[in-house]
Amino acid sequence: MTTKSKNYTSTTNACKLCTPLGASLAFRGVEGSVPFLHGSQGCATYMRRYVISHFREPVDIASSALGEKHAVYGGGPNLKKGILNVMKKYEPKIVGVATTCLTETIGDDVPMYLNEFHKEFGDLDLPDIVQVSTPSYNGTHMDGWHGAVRSMVEQLCTEKAENDGHVNILPNLVSCEDVRHLFDICEDFGLKATILPDISETLDGPALEDYMKIPVGGTPVEEIKKMSGAAATIELGRCVPTKSGGTSLEERFGVTNHRIGLPMGIRECDKLFETLETISGKEMPARYQRERGRLIDAYVDGHKYIFGKRAVVYGEEDLVTGLCAFLAEIGVDVILAGSGAKKKGMAEAITAVTEGVGRTTPEIHEGVDFHDIAERAGGLKPDLLIGHSKGYRYAKAWNIPLIRVGFPVHDRFGGQRIPTLGYKGTQYLFDLIVNAMLEKKQADNPVGYGYM
Amino acid sequence: MNEYTILEERKDQIHRTGEGALDMACNRESLAGAVSQRACVFCGSRVVLYPIADALHLVHGPIGCAVYTWDIRGALSSGPELHRLSFSTDLQETDVIFGGEKKLEAALDELIDRHSPKAAFVYSTCIVGIIGDDLEAVCRKMSEKKGIPVLPVMSEGFKGSKREGYLAACKAMFKLVGTEETSDISPLSVNILGDFNLAGEIWIIREYFRKMGVEVVANITGDGRVKDIGRSHGAALNLVQCSGATLDLAKMMKEEYGTPFMRVSYLGIEDMADSLYQVADFFKDVDPDIVKRTEDLVRDELSKLMPELARMRKDLEGKKVAMYVGGSFKAFSLLKAFRHLGMKVVMVGSQTGTKEDYAELERISDPGTILVDDANPLELSAFIKEKDVDIFVGGVKERPIAFKMGVGFCDHNHERKEALEGFVGMLNFAREIHASAMSPVWNFVPRRAKKQI
């Protein structure tokens, strides 16, 4: 196993997105919330466009739309005016303000502006306003995501609430379908869950008669305020920053934080179910026993088609780690695992989740772009690529299948509904991978066997 | 309509034709908190220069600007595909503190060696304007070192809207014009400006000109090449499409080289035919037969197209259309194209229209049509509802607004992968509109389902 730092200067086809995008996505998963980017208009518009291409849902992100004079004299007035306009038009319960590289660099003091705002407009019925610092020259969209989650927990949940036995789940950047699945699992354990953020409806909503100013769904602000009264927090992801929403609740209110990996593959899923057993005092419900059993059965049925296949996995640090955990179990050799993120401990995390089953030691690279991934992986002769849509160009060049998972999936339909978590999500991915290998075998075979 | 839907400060950016004199406020900074559909200066420059396929396009800034513009356009190339890669200096905190010039220089050094481009465009982003990197000095230095034009594109995002980005792009391109030999160029020759070869559209148009006997010197910028732009001043005429994206370049070329220009559109039947006839008219003194050749061409194409359109028109007659486009010039052509399908345009908006554009729109649209500048999702959805629209034409950001409300949609921006220009493009366009308007899925959307009860 190796990790390698970049040996070049420029970035070609980045394997990451910018910090404020992650924050905007997280803010989108709160009830009555309007994400607000403090910066020039382009940032909000570009990110909306990008997010829409995956979710195919309206994504209204407000902007302070700074122009040249604001860049010189400071963006405070426009920030305040912008929030007032958002209040008039959207009547939000909460506005999530994230900075951009522009406002970070001109040194706008957002907490101070918001203080002034509360003083100046305190007589109005103000929404909750949460702010997070997201300079785009520092980290990736995942830092923005985790930063926004932590900001919400710290700025909204400020008092110890009565313990009502619910469980907090900080799910990481997973699909809308995954969030729905997590709710179902908790319900089957008899646990009420506060999932923050909850994009299950806000970014995958129904057809409607009218345009909703703010989509229905999302974590209610009232619930966020009561996260301090939870029985425990489950934070999904082994590469989450040291200081996070979960650790903040633990430090301030003594809410036990269980940091476990994304539940992908049998062993990482087992950890989630064990944790829920501990918290709820109940045994894993029978339906999940059956799902687990079916998954193992499928592992056996399909193992020959995929054993020894060589995979390149890329994307968000925790997703890559989860995929490695799963692939190690089914005998697919990850030859390269890459992420645009840096210093997230991905190598350690992958070592931990593959220990005892992984047959090979993959190259693990943090801080890479697709040029670097391709340079390394091209010679390693992979059989399949696993990650978001941006790997398509390389899959096409190497004539191998791309298993689309993560964000963004904008060259296929239904990216927001791809299941990855739990035995069920793992089952889906397993079937997908086996079928991709069968299809490839069929396509490459001159005989055209119709019975595989 | 909710009284708050239209903010007080935006009321003079909305007009209903036939209701009072038109005095549209436009080309104004987007209002904070209004959730504008507009992008930024960088976006404007990137859109225009993007399809120059043998140039290196390096975005100097943090990663977002480069990654959100990576290969999202439908601009095709008949050769090199360097434009489809996303290059960035990916500025980090230390670069912001100590300046990014050294990193930019190193990045150019590395990328030019790796890809041997014919030229390099270096885009400056918001942050570069703030930290004050001397882009021009770095570009000058690297130009000398590498022996290719390295051109700064002064496109700091906050310095205006898309329109200023167009100008920055034209200024950068103008430095290439006049750098190559022109002696072998035909007297019947044009440059195609303001077309981005989405889904190969420029190839359709070039084929028409070939049949007319007109040489195309440079595609600016769809399927563009640095060398062609270098000799573009040798063409007899500049044809400018799109709302001003490359109009500034045409003006600079007129000033410096005396190249005349005319504004054209390849969308819809009349505008496509008119554009070809205008070109024929321009060259008829040099080659009198060109008029006949053009007439034959148009007749041939129309004879194939019209019966198909007539068939679809039967279904589409009377259906209502709203459109929200980037440049308003496209809206003129679309409005006429929809008339051929028997459809009624009830709302037209744009991100970057000028007073003159809106005056022209008022002139050609039916009374009661809503004209809007720099709209946002709540306004657009309110207009869709008020006018009970059947089809919306826009870009990726408008699509979910229409779909959520159960309205058909046609993607007509830079990201589309269907050719909609030329006579064949009109047929594709009609087919797409027909497919969306006539789909049975609308029977199930809440807004329509309720009505049928």
Side-chain angles (χ1 to χ4, degrees), chain B residues 188 190 192 202-216 276 279 287 290 293-294 297:
Chain B
L188 271 74
V190 297
I192 297 179
I202 230 170
W203 301 330
I204 297 171
I205 308 304
R206 283 184 69 117
E207 180 60 14
Y208 295 159
F209 288 131
R210 192 191 61 78
K211 286 182 177 163
M212 288 164 61
V214 174
E215 178 186 346
V216 177
L276 297 179
V279 173
D287 180 357
I290 191 172
R293 289 198 298 271
T294 309
L297 164 72

Side-chain angles (χ1 to χ4, degrees), chain A residues 10 45 49 138 209-210, chain B residues 38 93 110 385 415 447:
Chain A
S10 57
T45 307
R49 195 213 68 80
N138 210 340
E209 196 170 331
D210 203 351
Chain B
R38 270 190 194 160
E93 195 155 19
E110 178 175 82
K385 212 170 97 177
E415 298 180 33
R447 220 161 57 86

Side-chain angles (χ1 to χ4, degrees), chain B residues 338-365:
Chain B
F338 276 117
R339 286 205 178 125
H340 274 286
L341 299 173
M343 299 171 79
K344 200 171 149 53
V345 174
V346 292
M347 189 215 102
V348 189
S350 90
Q351 290 176 27
T352 57
T354 62
K355 270 193 188 315
E356 298 74 41
D357 293 339
Y358 288 115
E360 173 67 7
L361 277 175
E362 181 178 50
R363 197 183 66 75
I364 60 175
S365 60

Side-chain angles (χ1 to χ4, degrees), chain A residues 187-402:
Chain A
E187 198 181 321
D188 289 340
F189 271 95
L191 286 168
K192 187 181 167 349
T194 293
I195 300 187
L196 178 70
D198 168 15
I199 58 168
S200 64
E201 287 185 74
T202 55
L203 285 170
D204 194 17
L208 296 167
E209 196 170 331
D210 203 351
Y211 190 78
M212 299 295 287
K213 290 178 178 179
I214 300 173
V216 169
T219 322
V221 175
E222 283 313 309
E223 280 191 24
I224 302 175
K225 291 179 179 173
K226 289 182 187 159
M227 286 174 91
S228 51
T233 303
I234 301 176
E235 193 166 52
L236 300 182
R238 287 169 174 263
C239 304
V240 175
T242 322
K243 288 179 132 194
S244 65
T247 61
S248 172
L249 286 167
E250 187 164 54
E251 277 162 25
R252 291 183 300 140
F253 305 109
V255 182
T256 311
N257 188 39
H258 301 270
R259 185 175 285 190
I260 56 175
L262 287 183
M264 303 174 76
I266 301 225
R267 288 160 313 144
E268 290 291 272
C269 284
D270 286 350
K271 288 203 179 67
L272 172 68
F273 285 93
E274 282 158 19
T275 309
L276 287 166
E277 283 180 339
T278 310
I279 296 168
S280 69
K282 287 179 189 156
E283 257 191 40
M284 175 156 75
R287 61 176 291 193
Y288 300 101
Q289 304 275 10
R290 288 195 294 269
E291 278 180 8
R292 188 177 188 278
R294 269 197 298 272
L295 179 59
I296 296 172
D297 189 56
Y299 273 14
V300 173
D301 291 344
H303 75 279
K304 284 196 184 176
Y305 302 114
I306 50 174
F307 177 82
K309 296 294 178 198
R310 298 154 67 79
V312 169
V313 183
Y314 58 84
E316 279 101 34
E317 53 273 25
D318 273 313
L319 179 67
V320 169
T321 304
L323 285 166
C324 286
F326 157 58
L327 294 168
E329 291 179 351
I330 62 173
V332 169
D333 300 337
V334 176
I335 50 171
L336 189 151
S339 176
K342 278 183 209 163
K343 295 181 186 153
K344 302 293 176 199
M346 198 170 79
E348 294 77 4
I350 292 174
T351 310
V353 296
T354 55
E355 207 184 346
V357 251
R359 297 186 336 111
T360 47
T361 50
E363 285 188 19
I364 299 168
H365 299 304
E366 290 196 342
V368 287
D369 58 14
F370 276 101
H371 176 79
D372 202 30
I373 292 175
E375 215 170 47
R376 305 285 316 162
L380 297 172
K381 303 224 176 304
D383 298 300
L384 74 161
L385 276 181
I386 307 180
H388 52 71
S389 290
K390 285 304 179 188
Y392 174 66
R393 154 187 300 273
Y394 302 94
K396 188 175 163 74
W398 299 333
N399 187 29
I400 59 173
L402 166 64

Side-chain angles (χ1 to χ4, degrees), chain A residues 34 49 135 140 152 155 159 239 277-278 286 313 331 410 441:
Chain A
V34 173
R49 195 213 68 80
T140 72
M152 286 192 275
Q155 293 166 40
E159 283 168 33
C239 304
E277 283 180 339
T278 310
V313 183
H410 49 205
K441 198 168 180 176

